[in-house]
Amino acid sequence: MEQIIEKMVQESPYNVHLFVHNLTTNQLLTSHQLETAFSSASVIKVPILIALLSYIEHNKLSLDTTLPISPDDWVGFSVISEQRLTQSTLYDLLVWMIITSDNTATNVLIDEVGMSFLNDYFRHIGLQDTVLQRKMMDVERLALGIDNRTSARDMAHLFTRIYRQELLTAPYSQLVIDILSRQRVHDSLKRYLVEDVKLAHKTGGLDTVDHDVGIVYSSTIDYSIGVFMTNVMDNEQARQLIGRLSKVVYAQLVEGKEGHS
């Protein structure tokens, strides 16, 4: 598996960061450019989800608490904006933020706790390279080179802790896995998997990056996988490569056969 992956990475026209971690045995099986930080795109919404649930727990808030949404908050790529919603529950905002990568929901949640709270929390749970520096769809800050960052190492660390349910109490830990498992965007890690695989994951993409990271649950092994593409020129091509890499790993670890690219 490692040799096939290494060959695919070397032949990729894009910069690839990746990890595959056997969660059943706690063994890092393969990795590439683990420690180099890159633009996080929407995968940063996963640590935001954890931070918000920690905040909700700590402050004994209800998930049914309603937050106001101003029309000024409405941004693109958002079912909140499509519906012209002027309020939403914390629960709905958290779910939409993950399963459709809703940007309005994310920004309303960022405003609720503040960027400094989120960044402090990221450091608190051991994320070394993950930083939130702009809200979603803030093209002005992005144009100035101010972006949200993470690394494959941080995502491997985060998803291991999610899997072990170490970050929150049991009901909230299970809620995180439940929400990630309801992901509706399946054009990368799940792209070429024939079986109905349980995958708790989050995608992220901008013009020059494409990511997908999550946990694969099976009867024989649970593993986390993250593939992060940077310097992307063709997003569709990048997502296909993530799908091919994922298929190789699944074939080896779950089906017990050498995958082919």
Side-chain angles (χ1 to χ4, degrees):
M1 179 182 80
E2 287 179 76
Q3 288 174 316
I4 297 171
I5 288 173
E6 186 62 32
K7 184 171 184 286
M8 291 169 72
V9 167
Q10 296 302 330
E11 291 176 354
S12 168
Y14 310 130
N15 202 1
V16 183
H17 310 247
L18 66 81
F19 70 86
V20 180
H21 184 194
N22 183 334
L23 295 167
T24 306
T25 63
N26 192 29
Q27 181 184 8
L28 183 66
L29 300 177
T30 188
S31 67
H32 188 75
Q33 295 202 100
L34 202 59
E35 298 180 2
T36 310
F38 48 79
S39 173
S40 68
S42 286
V43 297
I44 202 164
K45 292 169 183 173
V46 180
I48 291 174
L49 170 68
I50 310 284
L52 259 295
L53 287 172
S54 175
Y55 176 85
I56 288 164
E57 264 196 333
H58 183 75
N59 291 285
K60 298 181 170 57
L61 300 177
S62 166
L63 286 168
D64 295 325
T65 302
T66 301
L67 297 185
I69 302 170
S70 161
D72 292 338
D73 293 325
W74 294 336
V75 294
F77 304 101
S78 164
V79 297
I80 301 287
S81 302
E82 287 173 19
Q83 298 175 86
R84 299 290 188 261
L85 297 185
T86 54
Q87 61 176 33
S88 181
T89 63
L90 281 169
Y91 177 79
D92 285 2
L93 291 168
L94 291 165
V95 171
W96 287 126
M97 174 174 69
I98 298 300
I99 71 170
T100 62
S101 206
D102 193 295
N103 289 319
T104 299
T106 308
N107 287 347
V108 169
L109 291 167
I110 290 170
D111 285 341
E112 179 64 16
V113 295
M115 279 194 199
S116 61
F117 168 84
L118 292 168
N119 286 319
D120 287 346
Y121 184 81
F122 299 165
R123 286 190 292 275
H124 172 69
I125 63 171
L127 304 181
Q128 301 175 50
D129 309 304
T130 303
V131 60
L132 182 72
Q133 301 186 104
R134 65 172 182 87
K135 294 208 292 191
M136 305 303 119
M137 305 300 289
D138 186 344
V139 292
E140 287 84 4
R141 285 177 78 82
L142 187 58
L144 295 171
I146 302 167
D147 202 2
N148 303 323
R149 312 281 290 172
T150 193
S151 65
R153 172 180 60 189
D154 272 8
M155 285 292 133
H157 174 77
L158 180 65
F159 275 84
T160 298
R161 300 200 72 183
I162 289 172
Y163 176 77
R164 293 177 182 164
Q165 302 193 24
E166 294 176 345
L167 298 170
L168 303 161
T169 58
Y172 283 103
S173 292
Q174 191 52 54
L175 178 62
V176 170
I177 293 166
D178 173 61
I179 292 173
L180 289 165
S181 300
R182 289 157 58 190
Q183 176 62 248
R184 296 185 185 180
V185 185
H186 297 307
D187 54 5
S188 297
L189 285 177
K190 223 173 184 178
R191 189 181 190 107
Y192 301 126
L193 302 184
V194 176
E195 302 303 320
D196 184 19
V197 178
K198 181 180 178 183
L199 175 61
H201 71 120
K202 180 76 191 76
T203 58
L206 295 167
D207 288 345
T208 59
V209 302
D210 254 295
H211 311 319
D212 201 352
V213 55
I215 300 164
V216 174
Y217 294 87
S218 78
S219 57
T220 53
I221 183 178
D222 297 337
Y223 65 91
S224 59
I225 177 172
V227 185
F228 313 91
M229 302 269 180
T230 60
N231 302 114
V232 170
M233 304 292 286
D234 180 333
N235 293 101
E236 181 65 13
Q237 184 184 38
R239 289 190 283 267
Q240 288 173 15
L241 181 52
I242 295 172
R244 287 166 54 215
L245 286 161
S246 175
K247 185 181 179 182
V248 167
V249 173
Y250 185 84
Q252 172 74 31
L253 298 183
V254 178
E255 297 174 339
K257 57 193 180 193
E258 231 10 272
H260 297 284
S261 63

